[in-house]
Amino acid sequence: MGETNILVYLIVGLLGIAAAALGFAAEGTRIKVSDIRTTEFSCIYPSTSANILGYIAALLTLIAQVTISAVARCGCCQRNTSNTKSPAAIFFFVVSWVASVIGIILLIAAANLSTRQEYLDATGLCYTVKPGVFAAGGGLALVACIFGLWSYSSVTKHHVLSVPVAVPYNQGGIAMGNPQFATASAYTNPKQQQYV
């Protein structure tokens, strides 16, 4: 495994772990029903960093996905089927993007909803984000990172396995160029030819 591969695994892995950790931290700091003080027609919410943590986790998830797609050069989606396209890479790539999109939507939605301080007249309750939404977004961010790295690994492994091996000249390979020496018939004198 080359230095580039190790660097890709390190960067994307750290981004995925950081996104998941921030998602779980946002879950831990989210506003719970017991934290809200209510008056007759209003809700008083305490300050929390859950929304900021959710936004940062969503951003890190997106950066990890874009990084994987850039370094793999969308290898699983290229039209050149001879050396870069493998079914495993395509599967992992699609699952990675689906998980990341759902995770980003969950993280952003939970972050947006955790800042809404409104009183619901119909129920007489204050709005809070349901438990597990931030954690689900963080978990999907980690799953997306893992599948993205598997996709990258499948693309690079399939590419290495399908690269043709160079055959030295005159060592059993097929010559594809012009001959270096003229054939014997070019050196014969047409006047010296004998007809029988």
Side-chain angles (χ1 to χ4, degrees):
M1 190 165 30
E3 292 178 16
T4 305
N5 289 348
I6 293 173
L7 190 62
V8 167
Y9 287 115
L10 185 66
I11 290 172
V12 174
L14 287 176
L15 286 171
I17 290 171
L22 288 174
F24 292 124
E27 179 68 29
T29 59
R30 73 176 175 79
I31 298 172
K32 299 164 189 66
V33 176
S34 60
D35 298 335
I36 301 171
R37 289 186 305 136
T38 57
T39 61
E40 189 174 335
F41 294 109
S42 67
C43 301
I44 301 170
Y45 288 76
S47 63
T48 182
S49 59
N51 59 342
I52 295 170
L53 294 173
Y55 288 134
I56 294 172
L59 180 66
L60 291 178
T61 304
L62 181 64
I63 291 171
Q65 284 303 114
V66 169
T67 303
I68 280 292
S69 295
V71 295
R73 292 178 193 91
C74 291
C76 61
C77 300
Q78 290 179 354
R79 295 178 191 255
N80 185 2
T81 59
S82 62
N83 62 356
T84 57
K85 197 171 186 179
S86 76
I90 293 171
F91 174 75
F92 294 143
F93 184 78
V94 169
V95 170
S96 170
W97 270 103
V98 168
S100 69
V101 167
I102 294 171
I104 289 170
I105 289 171
L106 285 175
L107 289 167
I108 290 175
N112 280 337
L113 295 175
S114 69
T115 59
R116 285 178 62 186
Q117 299 185 6
E118 65 183 58
Y119 182 77
L120 301 173
D121 291 329
T123 60
L125 299 173
C126 301
Y127 185 83
T128 58
V129 177
K130 291 185 179 183
V133 177
F134 280 114
L140 284 172
L142 187 60
V143 167
C145 173
I146 291 169
F147 276 99
L149 289 175
W150 279 347
S151 170
Y152 176 69
S153 174
S154 296
V155 166
T156 55
K157 185 186 306 181
H158 189 71
H159 180 67
V160 168
L161 292 176
S162 64
V163 172
V165 178
V167 178
Y169 179 74
N170 231 357
Q171 299 290 323
I174 299 173
M176 301 303 280
N178 294 328
Q180 294 180 359
F181 305 105
T183 59
S185 63
Y187 291 113
T188 59
N189 190 351
K191 294 181 182 178
Q192 294 178 351
Q193 292 181 356
Q194 298 178 359
Y195 296 100
V196 182

